[in-house]
Amino acid sequence: MHAQTLRQYDRLGLVSPGRTAGGGRRYSPRDVALLREVQRLSQEDGVNLAGIKRIIDLESQVEALQARVHELLDELQHSENRRMAAEAAVPAAYRADLVPLRRSSQALVVWRPGAGR
């Protein structure tokens, strides 16, 4: 890739390479993979640079959301394990007294202050 192209991609925020003490760009393996993807989208798929930036931003958001979903699933599993352990810790004699909560009605009651006085 031409140096001017790399500078343009850097200016547009498509890739953010590290810098050396002298100000030179240092591309990580992730940066190189991203540059190859930018080149592929541009040359093979005909996507313009604004479209490529949008694609990259959306892919980053998807990755962040997927990571958050995994965190929440882990948290949920941990909570479920704690609930099951707490339930198992209840003595067997008391378990017979535990009754599942059943909501018998979902009726709506309208309250009007001062009505009927």
Side-chain angles (χ1 to χ4, degrees):
M1 224 175 254
H2 194 275
Q4 191 64 20
T5 303
L6 294 172
R7 281 192 284 276
Q8 182 180 12
Y9 291 173
D10 191 6
R11 262 194 316 276
L12 292 172
L14 294 175
V15 66
S16 300
R19 298 288 179 162
T20 64
R25 290 174 178 79
R26 301 285 293 196
Y27 293 95
S28 69
R30 185 177 188 278
D31 292 332
V32 172
L34 185 58
L35 286 168
R36 286 187 176 139
E37 180 66 8
V38 168
Q39 188 175 33
R40 187 192 66 75
L41 286 168
S42 176
Q43 293 177 356
E44 293 176 18
D45 297 339
V47 180
N48 64 19
L49 294 179
I52 292 171
K53 179 150 178 51
R54 183 76 175 134
I55 289 168
I56 291 169
D57 290 344
L58 289 172
E59 286 177 345
S60 294
Q61 286 180 2
V62 167
E63 287 175 15
L65 290 171
Q66 286 174 335
R68 182 65 180 142
V69 165
H70 288 296
E71 287 173 15
L72 291 171
L73 287 172
D74 290 343
E75 214 175 289
L76 180 63
Q77 184 62 48
H78 182 68
S79 295
E80 180 65 12
N81 291 344
R82 283 193 334 232
R83 184 198 60 80
M84 289 171 53
E87 188 177 297
V90 173
Y94 294 132
R95 284 192 207 145
D97 294 337
L98 296 177
V99 178
L101 175 64
R102 290 193 188 112
R103 297 184 187 241
S104 59
S105 173
Q106 294 182 357
L108 176 66
V109 178
V110 179
W111 176 73
R112 292 190 180 108
R117 288 188 185 173

